[in-house]
Amino acid sequence: VPVCISTALQVSLVPSISASLKLRRFKECTINTGIGLKLTMLFGLPCMAGLMLLGPLLLQLIFPGTLAEGDHAAVSAMLMRVMAVGLFCLMGMQTCTGILQGLGLQTIPVRNLGAGLLVKVAVSMVLLKIPSLNVVGAAIGTAACFAVCALMNLWRILHELRVQFSMMEILIKPLLATGGMSAAIGLVWLALHSVNGWILFLCAAVIGVFVYFALVIGFHIITTEDLRMLPGGIQLDSWLREKGIWRDI
């Protein structure tokens, strides 16, 4: 689901940014770029946190045999947490790729991906030789690949646009909302740790989503312009207004 969201966001960014650039509306181009980065944080951070906190439990519930016991449980939990970071970096890489394509720099993401692949090979070759890491080393290499690609793409975007984005809106507020969601999941875990695993997972997931949504609305993180960048965003905006949940900031 997170990758589907980032892919849809990437596809929607290309025409919006390229059209703004073609019409020489540079301010609009910068605004659309900032919206794309903020939406990536809004979806990527909670997905990463949710997988890191609840992913190991879900694996044990789906595969109650070997993955729920001893060393297998520890390795599977570590793999899930590492790949959760990799998922976040992948979402960032895809969004930045869409922005660069909209700016007419189609070859840059390909070059950066090549650099990321070299990093993956190097990291994997080193870490796979460490017995305590074993297959986790390959997962770390994959996450490192996506991280390098995302950072290199982001650096090129900042270099091309030569603007400073609001760290408060793009990074700090989503981090605070994600922190609140993580705290809520932790409290649910402490309160229900002795109950059935599926009940614990479902309660923690539902309450976490509800808390995160409430914090996003409470912190006024997302705007109408942000929603319109997403597929179905216009319909969602109308529905939220009808229910009295949403209003212009």
Side-chain angles (χ1 to χ4, degrees), residues 19-224:
S20 300
L21 195 64
K22 185 71 174 179
L23 297 172
R24 302 185 67 82
R25 297 175 180 172
F26 300 117
K27 183 177 180 179
E28 183 179 309
C29 179
T30 301
I31 291 173
N32 289 336
T33 299
I35 291 173
L37 294 175
K38 180 166 71 171
L39 289 175
T40 300
M41 294 294 114
L42 277 173
F43 288 108
L45 287 173
C47 288
M48 178 179 68
L51 285 173
M52 293 182 74
L53 293 171
L54 297 177
L57 173 61
L58 181 62
L59 277 179
Q60 293 176 21
L61 292 173
I62 296 176
F63 305 102
T66 56
L67 291 185
E69 301 175 357
D71 293 338
H72 294 289
V75 171
S76 63
M78 180 63 69
L79 281 171
M80 177 63 77
R81 293 186 174 113
V82 171
M83 291 312 298
V85 177
L87 173 64
F88 173 72
C89 295
L90 174 60
M91 294 179 69
M93 183 190 75
Q94 287 183 317
T95 299
C96 291
T97 296
I99 295 171
L100 288 171
Q101 289 173 339
L103 293 173
L105 302 172
Q106 294 89 345
T107 60
I108 300 300
V110 180
R111 296 176 186 175
N112 293 343
L113 181 59
L117 289 175
L118 292 177
V119 170
K120 173 181 170 56
V121 172
V123 171
S124 298
M125 288 180 63
V126 172
L127 297 184
L128 283 172
K129 295 179 181 179
I130 302 176
S132 59
L133 288 177
N134 201 351
V135 70
V136 177
I140 295 175
T142 300
C145 170
F146 293 147
V148 167
C149 293
L151 290 174
M152 292 180 70
N153 287 348
L154 179 61
W155 179 86
R156 188 55 186 264
I157 291 169
L158 297 176
H159 176 75
E160 290 295 326
L161 295 179
R162 299 184 184 277
V163 294
Q164 291 184 343
F165 296 103
S166 173
M167 293 294 291
M168 177 62 71
E169 296 295 328
I170 293 178
L171 182 61
I172 296 178
K173 285 186 177 181
L175 273 175
L176 290 174
T178 303
M181 180 198 76
S182 301
I185 291 175
L187 291 174
V188 173
W189 191 285
L190 291 175
L192 302 178
H193 67 278
S194 60
V195 304
N196 178 270
W198 279 110
I199 296 176
L200 171 59
F201 174 79
L202 292 174
C203 289
V206 170
I207 292 176
V209 170
F210 177 79
V211 169
Y212 185 73
F213 181 76
L215 290 173
V216 167
I217 298 297
F219 288 157
H220 295 165
I221 300 177
I222 197 166
T223 64
T224 300

